[in-house]
Amino acid sequence: MIGGPVFLREVLAQARRPRTYLFQTVFLGVLVLGLIPMYAQAIGIGKSRLAEQARMLFEWGAYLQLIILTLIGPALVANAITEEKGKNTLDLLLLTEAGPWAIVWGKFCSRLYSLLFLLFLTVPLLFALLTLGGVAARSILITMAILGGFSVLATGLGIFLSTVLKRTPGVLGVSYAVLVAVLGAPKLAQLPPAQQPLVSPLLDLAYVANPTWYYPTASLATEWWVAPAWNVTAGLALVLLAGLALPHARELERLLDIRRALEAFDRATFLLLRPGRLLRRLTGGGAAAADDGPRADPRPIGVMNPIYWKETNVNTVGRFKTWWRMNLAMLVGLLGSYALFQHELSNIEFHKVVAAVVTGFIVLLPTIIAASTVSREREDGTLDLLATTPLDCATYVMGKVRGIGRNIVFLAALPFVHVIIWIVGGVLDPTTLVFFALGIPVATAASIVQGIFVSLLFPTTLRAIVAAIVVVTIEAALPLVCCVPSFNLPLMAYYMVEPSQGLATALGQGPQGSFTLAKLFACLFSAGTHLGFLFVIYSLIRSDFDRYIGRAA
Amino acid sequence: MIETRYLTKQYKDLIALDKLNLTIDRGDIYGFIGPNGAGKTTTIRILGTLLRPTSGQAFVCGYSVNGQAKHIRRKIGYVPDEFGTYEDMTVTEYLEFFAALYEIKGKERQRVIHDVLELTDLSYKRDAQVDSLSRGMRQRLALARVLLHDPDVLLLDEPASGLDPRARIEIRELLKELRTMGKTILISSHILSELKELCNKVGIIERGQLLFSGPVEEILAKARSHDVVQVKVREGTDRAVEALRAHDLVARADVIDGDVIEVQLQETAQDHSLVASFLHERGFRLLLVREQEIDLEDAFMKVTKGHVA
């Protein structure tokens, strides 16, 4: 089966795609760039410290590999079947003698081969650590087994989701959510420490790198295989399910299409938000008005920026789009966290983590959403229509930024809402609001503009989304390289949250006061760098706008 | 209205357009025909300011595509071969959106939208969702869109592609109406029979080179250069064929459609009247003598060699 026609076609196609080599180069490049500074530090130190340094190198290298696999894996697999469905070639494949199993298995093997090849590329790098001591060959092999098992899970999951879901971005989103849950859920769910490495490959890796102190449970020494074993089993089971599901892919797509249910939910919520209309409907007088529901009176364009009008008019609550659901999900998540961690509500650490998580979404979501905005227009052919109009760069970019900004305004306001609640509750200091006001709005605008820029650079939505995630990840990692946390908004937000002492009190407390002032300067610096970044990106877009939107390419 | 001079577009080793010289006058309906990959879409996209030529010049309404693209965009209406839809927009909103992009404001905008909907017979669909329209209606909407700003030039890339016969006829009638409005239209199509009825000029392109450009009548006459005559005799069809084949000036004589004889004359033949007189001299009674009808498809097949870039 591995040598079957689907597998061969896939492997050949991959070998011809430049992105295959790009992925490999990026993967290896990030690893090498991440590890070389640490390796350099190890030079000229004592033997025992050298061994410790090597162990650290190994540990962080393994984590880095896992993170990159989590990011790259779904991107490599997500379109395996959706692409065939989109091009109407799946039916042709199913009509051949090959059958669904050969198709699914061929796709699975070829994509897994790509991921395992990435891992294989790092083997010499990891074995080089043996020369420093502190790392056993067995640990390296076990690490490769854990990472390999995780690759099988990521590939199997991607193949299954690609079979039952319609769109590649949907597959990508669900894949990331599931994989992140697999890696982090045991910790969040507060499983007993001895069980965490059995479930999460991330914690299994942590255990392998620190067998003595991380989880001092003797039995774990022989149980490292549990996580990779269940990963492989689950991955293969998902491929099996995908094979079963493939002939019924269209029906399953329809079955899993929750759009109608969501639209009904939107309608119900819309009625609840407009009691007058609800009342008319309940009394039987407003059936017609309720039927046309929120669509009844779209805002006229008037003298509005048409791009802004388009972004907001077709993507609003009334138009049954995802924006408001996303905002609602975030609100429910925030309130849910209050319920889940009731006993932590007076703990400043809880509020710092909440701020970091919410601002993480504020950076990630607008970037990803903006990244898909232009490429989607390019894919569905509407960008060509825009490009033959007299549309200029300022109108286009400003329309997009304002439109996306308006749609996520609730999301951007959420940290402020949280802070205000807990300032009133006496847990946080009002200074936090000032820090947030300096940091969040401009960073959000910068996220949108950088997302648009990424979208202008890449021809397909999938590539643009993956590139946006990579950009956000690199920005988040910047503090590790150059100690400037400006572009890591979650980290900034974490430190921006001030306990309820009051700025004046803090200033009178010596070091604490200095720290508060330093944070204020950091926020100002962050706002400044984001403004500068915004300006640079906008200038880049404007410098060659025609080419970016496909005019005069 | 449209002029290209030595227009060339090259993608690495592939020459998509090779020194194309084209002139389309005001009010012309110019049919652009050629096999797939011949360079039709490339030409239209260059004229639509969506592609930059590798070398050569192209002018639309007197403006050069190199450097004066902004002016051109106000003068043209471009319909691509694939219709781009925005989800969740009604027909009116779709047109309002583009009208706003063309900076048509206030009451003028409403009037223009009303007019183009009337013209394209889409008024009854003004509140329908764009993505719920049939392909034929979408094409009509695409034409409505490009008429919003009353452009002088329409660039239509395969507007009838994938349409059913009824929708094709509707589009054809609509284009005829636009012709009466004095628009200059460059239209590429594979449905040659319709172009013959619609266009006053055609251009045949193959492998990026313009093989013919001129009035429809001219290309038909050109295709007719080797006279082909169809004759029918009362009796003795086989004998008549044998006799014709023996004639020095006859290149070919075959029976088609039962008892109609198709005769192709040598290039040296003066005119086709010799066929009738020759058969009459040999005692055949003629029931029919006619020139073979040449249509655009025949002309296209004769002019092109079947090569694709």
Side-chain angles (χ1 to χ4, degrees):
Chain A
M1 282 269 202
I2 285 179
V6 176
F7 174 78
L8 288 175
R9 191 199 76 84
E10 289 279 316
V11 171
L12 267 176
Q14 279 170 29
R16 287 173 185 157
R17 278 182 203 136
R19 78 161 180 236
T20 306
Y21 307 102
L22 184 76
F23 272 135
Q24 289 166 3
T25 312
V26 168
F27 182 71
L28 212 55
V30 171
L31 264 180
V32 170
L33 287 175
L35 295 180
I36 279 180
M38 297 176 82
Y39 199 90
Q41 281 175 15
I43 296 167
I45 59 175
K47 214 170 184 180
S48 62
R49 279 196 57 207
L50 191 66
E52 177 56 21
Q53 197 76 24
R55 196 199 54 74
M56 272 185 65
L57 268 172
F58 166 64
E59 183 182 358
W60 284 102
Y63 293 155
L64 202 54
Q65 282 194 77
L66 189 71
I67 291 166
I68 300 171
L69 277 182
T70 310
L71 290 175
I72 287 182
L76 273 178
V77 187
N79 65 348
I81 307 288
T82 50
E83 194 178 36
E84 303 279 1
K85 287 191 272 192
K87 290 180 180 170
N88 288 324
T89 48
L90 182 63
D91 292 336
L92 305 183
L93 286 178
L94 284 170
L95 285 171
T96 65
E97 296 283 317
W101 299 104
I103 298 167
V104 166
W105 186 248
K107 294 266 182 193
F108 171 75
C109 290
S110 62
R111 310 283 162 134
L112 181 63
Y113 160 77
S114 304
L115 276 182
L116 293 182
F117 189 75
L118 284 179
L119 279 182
F120 177 73
L121 286 174
T122 65
V123 170
L125 205 67
L126 291 178
F127 271 88
L129 294 175
L130 289 176
T131 59
L132 301 176
V135 181
R138 182 174 178 268
S139 300
I140 294 176
L141 291 174
I142 289 175
T143 299
M144 297 311 284
I146 294 169
L147 293 172
F150 186 69
S151 302
V152 175
L153 176 67
T155 314
L157 179 69
I159 294 285
F160 175 73
L161 292 172
S162 191
T163 306
V164 297
L165 297 180
K166 190 174 182 179
R167 292 174 193 275
T168 307
V171 177
L172 206 57
V174 179
S175 295
Y176 281 134
V178 173
L179 293 180
V180 168
V182 167
L183 294 178
K187 192 89 178 167
L188 277 177
Q190 296 174 328
L191 286 180
Q195 287 179 15
Q196 290 179 9
L198 306 182
V199 179
S200 164
L202 175 67
L203 300 169
D204 204 13
L205 283 179
Y207 164 71
V208 171
N210 305 281
T212 51
W213 61 266
Y214 202 86
Y215 294 115
T217 310
S219 63
L220 279 177
T222 54
E223 289 174 359
W224 62 264
W225 56 269
V226 176
W230 86 255
N231 281 182
V232 170
T233 310
L236 293 177
L238 285 166
V239 177
L240 201 70
L241 281 175
L244 282 171
L246 193 65
H248 315 287
R250 304 276 184 209
E251 291 92 323
L252 282 166
E253 263 176 24
R254 274 193 287 278
L255 203 68
L256 292 173
D257 187 359
I258 53 170
R259 203 170 44 189
R260 279 174 193 279
L262 287 171
E263 284 177 1
F265 172 69
D266 290 345
R267 249 182 242 115
T269 314
F270 182 80
L271 281 173
L272 284 173
L273 291 173
R274 300 210 172 170
R277 193 172 285 211
L278 179 64
L279 197 66
R280 279 205 303 280
R281 188 174 193 187
L282 289 175
T283 53
D291 280 346
D292 60 16
R295 299 190 49 84
D297 43 4
R299 289 178 309 137
I301 297 185
V303 290
M304 243 185 268
N305 176 326
I307 302 295
Y308 170 72
W309 174 86
K310 197 264 291 178
E311 288 295 323
T312 52
N313 204 45
V314 300
N315 292 318
T316 57
V317 176
R319 295 306 174 111
F320 311 135
K321 282 289 175 183
T322 50
W323 289 106
W324 90 283
R325 292 184 207 134
M326 184 188 77
N327 289 328
L328 185 69
M330 291 300 298
L331 179 66
V332 169
L334 183 67
L335 296 177
S337 74
Y338 293 171
L340 203 63
F341 300 99
Q342 283 174 42
H343 53 285
E344 300 282 348
L345 290 176
S346 55
N347 182 353
I348 189 74
E349 202 58 30
F350 167 77
H351 297 284
K352 281 173 177 264
V353 171
V354 167
V357 170
V358 176
T359 49
F361 279 110
I362 289 175
V363 172
L364 194 63
L365 290 176
T367 307
I368 291 176
I369 288 160
S372 65
T373 183
V374 186
S375 50
R376 212 172 44 200
E377 283 176 346
R378 189 175 282 125
E379 280 175 340
D380 64 23
T382 49
L383 195 61
D384 270 358
L385 307 185
L386 293 179
T388 49
T389 68
L391 177 70
D392 60 58
C393 177
T395 309
Y396 188 69
V397 176
M398 283 309 292
K400 289 274 180 196
V401 172
R402 285 178 55 210
I404 297 172
R406 182 179 182 271
N407 289 326
I408 59 153
V409 73
F410 183 80
L411 177 66
L414 216 51
F416 293 93
V417 172
H418 171 79
V419 167
I420 290 168
I421 290 172
W422 295 105
I423 287 171
V424 174
V427 180
L428 303 181
D429 191 88
T431 335
T432 312
L433 263 185
V434 179
F435 292 162
F436 275 27
L438 282 172
I440 291 174
V442 68
T444 309
S447 298
I448 297 171
V449 175
Q450 79 174 3
I452 291 172
F453 186 54
V454 166
S455 198
L456 286 165
L457 289 179
F458 289 87
T460 63
T461 306
L462 179 65
R463 284 190 210 180
I465 289 176
V466 172
I469 292 168
V470 171
V471 167
V472 171
T473 310
I474 291 171
E475 285 173 355
L478 277 179
L480 293 173
V481 182
C482 58
C483 303
V484 177
S486 288
F487 289 99
N488 188 330
L489 194 63
L491 193 67
M492 291 284 293
Y494 182 87
Y495 285 110
M496 280 183 227
V497 175
E498 282 279 300
S500 174
Q501 290 167 324
L503 182 60
T505 320
L507 282 171
Q509 282 182 350
Q512 176 61 45
S514 307
F515 189 48
T516 306
L517 270 181
K519 282 199 273 184
L520 184 65
F521 283 122
C523 288
L524 283 168
F525 180 72
S526 169
T529 48
H530 273 104
L531 270 176
F533 180 68
L534 228 159
F535 177 74
V536 168
I537 296 288
Y538 177 68
S539 302
L540 274 174
I541 296 174
R542 210 170 70 164
S543 67
D544 213 354
F545 179 65
D546 275 4
R547 192 173 60 80
Y548 286 133
I549 66 162
R551 275 175 183 167
Chain B
M1 211 60 172
I2 295 175
E3 189 182 358
T4 68
R5 292 182 205 150
Y6 300 98
L7 192 67
T8 303
K9 181 69 187 175
Q10 191 166 355
Y11 301 99
K12 291 179 182 169
D13 297 335
L14 179 79
I15 299 173
L17 279 185
D18 190 6
K19 301 186 186 85
L20 188 83
N21 289 308
L22 185 71
T23 305
I24 301 173
D25 297 321
R26 182 182 291 275
D28 275 350
I29 312 288
Y30 192 92
F32 207 33
I33 55 182
N36 289 331
K40 303 186 297 289
T41 299
T42 303
T43 309
I44 290 180
R45 286 178 71 84
I46 288 176
L47 295 172
T49 72
L50 291 170
L51 271 181
R52 193 168 289 160
T54 309
S55 63
Q57 285 284 345
F59 300 91
V60 180
C61 301
Y63 296 110
S64 168
V65 294
N66 298 322
Q68 292 178 302
K70 265 185 186 175
H71 299 288
I72 293 177
R73 282 172 205 136
R74 293 192 179 275
K75 298 280 182 187
I76 59 164
Y78 167 66
V79 176
D81 52 350
E82 282 189 16
F83 182 83
T85 52
Y86 286 108
E87 279 180 44
D88 241 352
M89 261 195 198
T90 64
V91 167
T92 309
E93 287 166 357
Y94 183 78
L95 294 175
E96 276 203 15
F97 174 60
F98 279 98
L101 284 170
Y102 282 108
E103 293 166 11
I104 304 168
K105 291 172 184 158
K107 286 183 178 171
E108 173 70 1
R109 189 187 293 168
Q110 299 313 316
R111 186 190 63 74
V112 166
I113 290 171
H114 175 266
D115 289 351
V116 294
L117 284 174
E118 285 289 317
L119 181 70
T120 52
D121 199 19
L122 281 173
S123 295
Y124 72 108
K125 286 283 180 185
R126 58 168 51 241
D127 294 321
Q129 291 282 292
V130 172
D131 46 10
S132 72
L133 297 180
S134 68
R135 198 177 166 92
M137 283 182 191
R138 284 181 185 202
Q139 280 306 61
R140 273 164 34 207
L141 179 60
L143 285 170
R145 172 180 61 76
V146 297
L147 292 171
L148 284 168
H149 59 297
D150 194 22
D152 295 330
V153 176
L154 295 179
L155 304 170
L156 315 177
D157 195 0
E158 302 280 356
S161 163
L163 298 185
D164 62 41
R166 176 179 289 275
R168 278 217 305 268
I169 291 167
E170 285 169 359
I171 290 289
R172 190 180 63 200
E173 294 307 311
L174 185 55
L175 291 176
K176 280 182 182 172
E177 205 160 333
L178 294 178
R179 185 173 61 183
T180 62
M181 291 163 68
K183 304 280 180 205
T184 305
I185 303 176
L186 171 60
I187 174 172
S188 78
S189 177
H190 282 131
I191 303 158
L192 305 184
S193 54
E194 289 182 2
L195 284 184
K196 185 186 167 190
E197 221 177 294
L198 193 67
C199 304
N200 62 328
K201 284 183 185 170
V202 290
I204 297 179
I205 185 172
E206 189 181 39
R207 301 181 80 185
Q209 289 181 322
L210 196 65
L211 303 179
F212 172 85
S213 180
V216 175
E217 297 75 29
E218 192 181 318
I219 190 170
L220 293 179
K222 196 174 177 180
R224 220 181 269 132
S225 60
H226 300 290
D227 274 6
V228 178
V229 188
Q230 290 176 345
V231 293
K232 190 174 175 182
V233 294
R234 181 178 282 268
E235 50 196 27
T237 304
D238 293 338
R239 280 189 296 110
V241 170
E242 290 302 315
L244 285 166
R245 281 177 181 166
H247 196 292
D248 289 344
L249 293 174
V250 171
R252 175 177 64 82
D254 295 304
V255 179
I256 59 163
D257 293 341
D259 50 2
V260 176
I261 306 166
E262 191 171 89
V263 184
Q264 182 167 4
L265 300 176
Q266 298 282 11
E267 279 184 48
T268 48
Q270 294 283 323
D271 62 63
H272 61 256
S273 62
L274 73 91
V275 175
S277 53
F278 175 75
L279 288 173
H280 181 69
E281 281 164 16
R282 272 152 189 75
F284 291 101
R285 291 188 65 184
L286 293 168
L287 296 178
L288 168 82
V289 180
R290 69 178 177 205
E291 264 190 348
Q292 183 203 31
E293 279 198 18
I294 294 286
D295 60 19
L296 210 48
E297 275 179 26
D298 298 314
F300 172 74
M301 291 306 288
K302 283 190 176 180
V303 173
T304 62
K305 305 170 193 77
H307 297 306
V308 176

